[in-house]
Amino acid sequence: MRNDITRRDALALGLSAATIAATGAAAQTSNIKAADVAAPKREIEKGASLRMLRPVRFVQADEDVFRANAAKFSKETGVEVKVDFVGWEDINQQTAVTSNSGAGPDIIIGFSDAPHIYVDKLIELTDVADYLGKRYGGWLPLAQRYGKKNKSDAWIGLPFGATAGPLIYRKSVLQSVGFDKVPEDHAGVVDLCRKLHKAGKPAGFALGNAKGDGNGFANWALWSHNASLLDEEGNVTINSKETIAALNWVKELYPTFIAGTPSWNDVSNNRAYSSQEISLTANGVSLYFSLKNDPATKAIAEDSEHQLLPKGLAKVSPMAGLTLNAMVFKHSPYPNAAKAFLQYMMEKDQYEPWLNANSGYWSQPLGAYADAAVWSQDPKVRLFKDTMNSTYYDGYKGPISTATGAVSADYVLIQMCASVATGAATPEAAAAEAEQRCKRYFRRQR
Amino acid sequence: MSVTTLSSPALAQRQPNWLVRLFDYKPFLIVMCLAPALGLLAVFLTYPLGLGVWLAFTDTTIGRRGIFVGLENFQYLLTDPLWWNAVFYSVFYTAVATFGKFALGFWLALLLNNHFPFKSLLRAIVLLPWIVPTVLSALAFWWIYDPQFSIISYLMVDVLHWRSNNIDFLGSPWPARFSLIAANIWRGIPFVAISLLAGLQTISPSLYEAAMLDGASAWQRFRYITFPMMMPILAIVMTFSIIFTFTDFQLVYAITRGGPVNSTHLLATLAFQRGIAGGELGEGAAIAVSMIPFLVFATLFSYFGLARRKWQQGEAND
């Protein structure tokens, strides 16, 4: 998918209000408070034009408003912006090629840890981040974690938002087996899932090579037992007694799942939930919206509730949001224009309509945007507001690096859980194998 | 008769220039004719292969240049149970799928070699699985094997009531492995059938007529005429089939991504998983390079084992 926005296009499009109205994200009275902070002074390069890559939208309005905002920028500054939308699975490869070849887009919005992988090829965005942070109530914890270079205050990425994967369940089914909500303790979760299984409406969590949902479940299982991939110093600590406890819990839980979860990918749980085969899973808000917007499944949406992932032994719900993270490459001939563009897109006049148009799919990285109208429109979506307040992230508790992303991309933790769940390995053997693989990835990181 | 002698300047004018003389020089002409082919081979075959082999001896990752590490990647792979698992499944997948494709493909070729109505149309239909893009057939099989919405489960459970629950095709290792092999056989049969059909049509009918006059049964005609005569083309088609099957990627990656529990990784999918998704380009290249000995062995086996003349012309005529 490709769109080249030129000055002419921008004039034709006019202000984004028309597009925003067309997407249903009607202009609303803003509650966002912006502090009076002077914007950093920079001169946009003469004749500048920008190329940008970003992941394809899940919610149509995401793309519509994003394009309209970019067109507005073109109109106001004269900088042409070409935005390409690419598949989620392709963005890493395209970023790698851009990074290695030193050519291609000026800006790429990748995911979560991407700037940490390509840190040597990126320009710092500290001035932009400092300004936005001061103006909009400060950066939330997850944004700081993914945006800043390890152990420094230098910003190498500019987080745009994050999507979460909390629990979604059928209220009526849970009530029919004696629960109002999902318990916060591990034994309670097993008890509930057993009863759901007995009632013929089981739970189902992805244990297949699913980038989002599979990793989400594996991380939850580990973090809620206070297990982690790394310690604070970056040592691999996956083979621990906490991990063994988590794997034993997964082994106990797995027989309560619907059959086939070791082969599930990222859409499998959506389909199983939509067809009422399961009554409990973990997913982003997109599942709820697809149910709500289809008359055939609206009743399921009305009977559905979201809940943060159970804490287990953790102090807070252990859930990391998948974060959109913008990078500007050193090979860009127009770094000032790129910075100006990112800053412009995060300003209230552009960002708030975009956030609202996403209906909760992306949540804000800056504190002030918590007051956006989107969070008060549907109580079932409100829970997503705090996604970026999470203190959990890929690679928790250690420093983010190339290897943390690789462990997730190689499904190491999912396979560890799946091998124990299916009886292919003992918890001890699975943890030892995962440790071997993780150490391989982390051998150069320290 | 008068003889006109050309003056020396005129002679000089008719002498071919240096370029023409150069192209008349045979060794130069050979080099020039071969150069485009050699250039293409160098750019599109030698360089990527050479780069892949070189990367296998480095610790290159995505976003970072590597250094030469000798055999370190290969040493690691020897300690990696996942690599051994991929070796096992690659060999198993290739052996079972190739056997299945040849058994069914040969049978189909024999059927198609008969005279029957709409012969051409049926032959075209048989080619369909081969023509459909692999990723499309993979998606179709992904749905067929879906744990909740499989058409096979639907027929078994809801229509025929032969089972009480859905079949879990891809949720445990061995069913997943055989499900992928079935998909590969379905996709590969047309290539084998059509290739062998072409071979069958080159066998002279007079051989069969002579055998029938001698009272040979159908099995004897197959055993002593069809099979030996088909051996050269069988060897070629099998070599290609083994190579295609061993290096298969799309079917496995689209249907299982190597799961469940990494049980269906082929060497090709594991190489991609480690090299591209995991970013370990050196290790991924090493996995890809580790496929070469298997492919060389398969090729040599087909060539020396199946294409020997004694298969066709008797033991003494090697």
Side-chain angles (χ1 to χ4, degrees), chain A residues 19-76:
Chain A
T19 309
I20 293 163
T23 63
Q28 307 194 23
T29 309
S30 176
N31 295 320
I32 309 298
K33 292 172 190 68
D36 192 11
V37 178
K41 290 200 187 314
R42 68 175 71 85
E43 196 171 328
I44 293 178
E45 297 85 355
K46 205 174 173 188
S49 64
L50 296 170
R51 270 196 63 206
M52 178 187 201
L53 281 188
R54 59 148 286 185
V56 72
R57 83 286 185 277
F58 251 77
V59 179
Q60 180 61 43
D62 172 355
E63 182 177 336
D64 294 341
V65 180
F66 197 90
R67 287 192 190 285
N69 285 340
K72 243 174 88 179
F73 176 77
S74 293
K75 187 189 170 207
E76 291 176 16

Side-chain angles (χ1 to χ4, degrees), chain B residues 110-292:
Chain B
L110 290 167
L111 290 178
L112 291 173
N113 198 33
N114 293 322
H115 293 290
F116 51 85
F118 309 112
K119 191 164 66 176
S120 301
L121 180 67
L122 278 170
R123 284 177 184 172
I125 290 170
V126 165
L127 266 179
L128 274 179
W130 182 252
I131 294 165
V132 175
T134 310
V135 75
L136 274 186
S137 39
L139 286 175
F141 273 96
W142 182 49
W143 274 105
I144 289 170
Y145 295 147
D146 189 279
Q148 272 78 49
F149 307 102
S150 162
I151 181 71
I152 301 172
S153 292
Y154 171 72
L155 287 173
M156 295 277 194
V157 177
D158 297 322
V159 178
L160 301 170
H161 304 293
W162 287 355
R163 288 176 61 93
S164 57
N165 56 339
N166 287 355
I167 304 168
D168 188 11
F169 289 101
L170 303 176
S172 44
W174 278 106
R177 285 170 178 153
F178 280 111
S179 298
L180 289 175
I181 287 170
N184 183 278
I185 289 174
W186 177 86
R187 182 164 169 72
I189 283 175
F191 170 70
V192 175
I194 298 296
S195 304
L196 297 187
L197 177 63
L200 283 173
Q201 295 188 335
T202 63
I203 301 174
S204 169
S206 62
L207 292 173
Y208 292 108
E209 287 161 13
M212 286 173 83
L213 286 174
D214 289 342
S217 66
W219 167 248
Q220 284 170 323
R221 291 198 298 275
F222 174 79
R223 170 71 183 83
Y224 296 105
I225 299 174
T226 309
F227 195 66
M229 295 298 285
M230 287 293 289
M231 200 46 80
I233 194 156
L234 270 171
I236 299 282
V237 176
M238 186 168 282
T239 304
F240 276 100
S241 179
I242 288 173
I243 291 170
F244 290 155
T245 313
F246 195 83
T247 57
D248 194 8
F249 174 84
Q250 294 179 72
L251 271 180
V252 174
Y253 205 74
I255 296 174
T256 65
R257 293 203 172 183
V261 202
N262 289 320
S263 59
T264 59
H265 262 308
L266 297 172
L267 285 167
T269 57
L270 188 66
F272 178 83
Q273 183 65 36
R274 295 277 172 85
I276 305 300
E280 290 275 349
L281 285 174
E283 192 178 313
I287 296 169
V289 167
S290 74
M291 295 164 74
I292 293 175

